[in-house]
Amino acid sequence: EAQVTQNPRYLITVTGKKLTVTCSQNMNHEYMSWYRQDPGLGLRQIYYSMNVEVTDKGDVPEGYKVSRKEKRNFPLILESPSPNQTSLYFCASSTRQGGENTIYFGEGSWLTVV
Amino acid sequence: AQSVTQPDIHITVSEGASLELRCNYSYGATPYLFWYVQSPGQGLQLLLKYFSGDTLVQGIKGFEAEFKRSQSSFNLRKPSVHWSDAAEYFCAVGARDTGTASKLTFGTGTRLQVTL
């Protein structure tokens, strides 16, 4: 079954304590992205990756880091979380091969920074 | 840069009534267009998508959407709403030149409430 898996699904953390949200996909997709969802703002892209070792900023990259060392994984790193990073985070993967052009989303990770 | 406007933040309809959710986009060419639904506490589920061809697109759960180039719109419709349709609905646009794979731009969402 095609899946994008995020962990943890729910996390409460304190300001300044580094955390990583993992994302893994089993579809051999070359593209992966992170989005955050905030009330009244919809989803906004944080970072994306077009393939291994290729990443680029999205619309709201400040305060986040990513890496793409393997094709299937795309972790989101918050080096020093702040309360304004409290949000619902979605990982996504997709491919352009075969004209697919459909983005698959994970189930989301609820992050609260206190 | 592409953008999406969903002018209705909140809509209430009675069960069995028809539904239309509005979506307007801004993009220099014909974009890829999507509608997603998000139930409370859940992730995003793709309802339908438009890439090319027939401008009336059928999706899951009885939804359809019509792409109107002249109006830069991609409104979502359902002829008879069920209570289980209560959720938040997001319209999204992807750039045709790079493909949607790299980025989707989302609207701010419309929350649908269904009264019995």
Side-chain angles (χ1 to χ4, degrees):
Chain A
E1 180 188 353
Q3 274 189 324
V4 179
T5 304
Q6 302 177 220
N7 280 295
R9 296 287 317 282
Y10 304 92
L11 179 65
I12 301 174
T13 189
V14 296
T15 299
K17 184 177 181 181
K18 179 180 179 179
L19 70 92
T20 299
V21 186
T22 64
C23 175
S24 180
Q25 49 95 3
N26 63 359
M27 296 168 278
N28 199 38
H29 284 170
E30 67 272 28
Y31 287 86
M32 296 186 76
S33 299
W34 277 102
Y35 292 80
R36 63 177 286 174
Q37 182 183 4
D38 302 290
L41 296 177
L43 281 83
R44 296 174 292 168
Q45 192 184 56
I46 302 170
Y47 269 96
Y48 67 96
S49 169
M50 291 187 283
N51 218 320
V52 176
E53 302 291 1
V54 181
T55 63
D56 208 348
K57 297 177 180 179
D59 296 320
V60 287
E62 294 77 21
Y64 305 94
K65 285 176 59 177
V66 293
S67 69
R68 188 91 180 275
K69 293 182 170 56
E70 303 168 283
K71 197 171 187 179
R72 64 181 292 124
N73 296 322
F74 190 45
L76 178 70
I77 303 158
L78 285 72
E79 293 271 4
S80 182
S82 62
N84 65 12
Q85 293 178 297
T86 293
S87 188
L88 174 58
Y89 291 87
F90 287 101
C91 181
S93 78
S94 54
T95 182
R96 296 188 71 183
Q97 294 178 16
E100 173 84 23
N101 278 308
T102 295
I103 294 187
Y104 295 82
F105 286 89
E107 294 204 334
S109 295
W110 288 93
L111 172 64
T112 300
V113 184
V114 297
Chain B
Q2 63 243 38
S3 66
V4 178
T5 301
Q6 293 181 248
D8 303 306
I9 297 173
H10 186 231
I11 283 182
T12 300
V13 300
S14 299
E15 188 174 39
S18 63
L19 171 71
E20 182 169 28
L21 302 182
R22 296 184 290 166
C23 172
N24 293 96
Y25 69 89
S26 174
Y27 182 64
T30 302
Y32 294 130
L33 295 161
F34 302 80
W35 275 99
Y36 286 87
V37 62
Q38 184 180 34
S39 298
Q42 302 298 309
L44 294 164
Q45 182 178 25
L46 178 65
L47 284 176
L48 48 79
K49 59 188 178 184
Y50 172 77
F51 287 168
S52 63
D54 192 345
T55 56
L56 185 61
V57 180
Q58 302 298 319
I60 62 171
K61 303 185 178 187
F63 285 92
E64 66 178 25
E66 186 172 11
F67 168 58
K68 292 186 177 180
R69 185 193 309 273
S70 61
Q71 298 176 20
S72 297
S73 68
F74 190 57
N75 294 349
L76 182 71
R77 301 194 295 247
K78 187 170 185 179
S80 178
V81 170
H82 188 263
W83 64 266
S84 61
D85 293 324
E88 189 152 24
Y89 292 79
F90 293 95
C91 181
V93 61
R96 188 171 285 270
D97 52 352
T98 59
T100 59
S102 59
K103 180 180 179 179
L104 280 182
T105 298
F106 284 82
T108 52
T110 297
R111 181 164 297 278
L112 173 65
Q113 183 176 358
V114 180
T115 58
L116 300 176

